[in-house]
Amino acid sequence: MYDPTVARLTYRALLGRRRALILGALPLLLIIIAVMVRGLAGADDQTASDLLGGLALATMVPIIGVIAGTGAIGPEIDDGSVVYLLSKPVKRPTIIFTKLIVAIAVTMVFSALPTFIAGFILNGNGQQIAVAYTVAALVASIAYAAIFLLLGTVSRHAVVFGLVYALVWEALFGSLVEGARTLSVQQWSLAVAQKVAGGDMVTSDVALPTATVLLIVVTVLATWYAGQKLRSLTLAGEE
């Protein structure tokens, strides 16, 4: 299910100079803001939770997921180079699964690690806040990578749709509209973070069992459907 050659090509595409600069911009901004807040306000648990929840988890993680998920396959479909990949004796589900693993890894590195660093700067991991939000970023990275990889497979405007989802649905509706929170990856990952933190500093509107099931179902279904769409794309090219 994992092809090293496909993985190497995907890593090379995602971590090229231009895309790497884009991927690194938000994590760097988060850490800079964390340093400034710590210097101005000192260590405060509530401030740390608000910043990590509002900027890191609600904004940075989904945007990085958009870049990594859509970038893992979208450009190849747009420029037609995916035909070369599909001509190789590699099963289509293997291609999708390999690209998903790469997208997850890149999203985790550029989101979870900066989240932990920023959390440790803000309050030294008081009340396990830094670790809780890091775990939430890790969990969210999996779901986001699968969702945005699917978008990159089905649409030539995947980045636009992904950013609308990340900035409008997750950051806005997912935070403000009560009914939308149940269908928010952010809230699902917060349920896991709440369990890790154990206190009342991290909260979620979705129960942990429900969040766990939804995370698994969305990830599996998105990956499966992306494989089906890639198979149909292959058939269309062969015809």
Side-chain angles (χ1 to χ4, degrees), residues 190-209:
L190 278 173
V192 180
Q194 182 179 14
K195 179 66 175 181
V196 174
D200 57 358
M201 297 302 298
V202 183
T203 60
S204 173
D205 292 323
V206 182
L208 181 59

Side-chain angles (χ1 to χ4, degrees), residues 129-186:
I129 290 175
V131 171
Y133 278 103
T134 299
V135 172
L138 290 171
V139 171
S141 294
I142 299 173
Y144 283 134
I147 292 170
F148 297 131
L149 179 65
L150 172 60
L151 272 180
T153 306
V154 302
S155 174
R156 291 182 178 273
H157 306 289
V159 174
V160 176
F161 291 138
L163 288 175
V164 169
Y165 174 86
L167 297 177
V168 177
W169 183 265
E170 289 285 8
L172 185 60
F173 286 96
S175 300
L176 302 178
V177 181
E178 184 174 352
R181 296 173 186 172
T182 306
L183 301 177
S184 168
V185 175
Q186 175 191 349

Side-chain angles (χ1 to χ4, degrees), residues 63-148:
I63 289 179
I64 291 176
V66 170
I67 298 171
T70 60
I73 195 170
E76 292 176 308
I77 294 177
D78 291 341
D79 62 20
S81 61
V82 70
V83 175
Y84 172 79
L85 179 61
L86 296 178
S87 67
K88 301 300 180 181
V90 182
K91 294 180 179 179
R92 307 308 176 248
T94 298
I95 294 174
I96 288 296
F97 184 76
T98 301
K99 287 183 174 294
L100 175 63
I101 295 299
V102 173
I104 290 173
V106 171
T107 306
M108 285 181 171
V109 169
F110 283 92
S111 61
L113 183 58
T115 298
F116 177 76
I117 294 173
F120 198 83
I121 291 172
L122 286 166
N123 76 332
N125 194 37
Q127 298 195 53
Q128 293 291 306
I129 290 175
V131 171
Y133 278 103
T134 299
V135 172
L138 290 171
V139 171
S141 294
I142 299 173
Y144 283 134
I147 292 170
F148 297 131

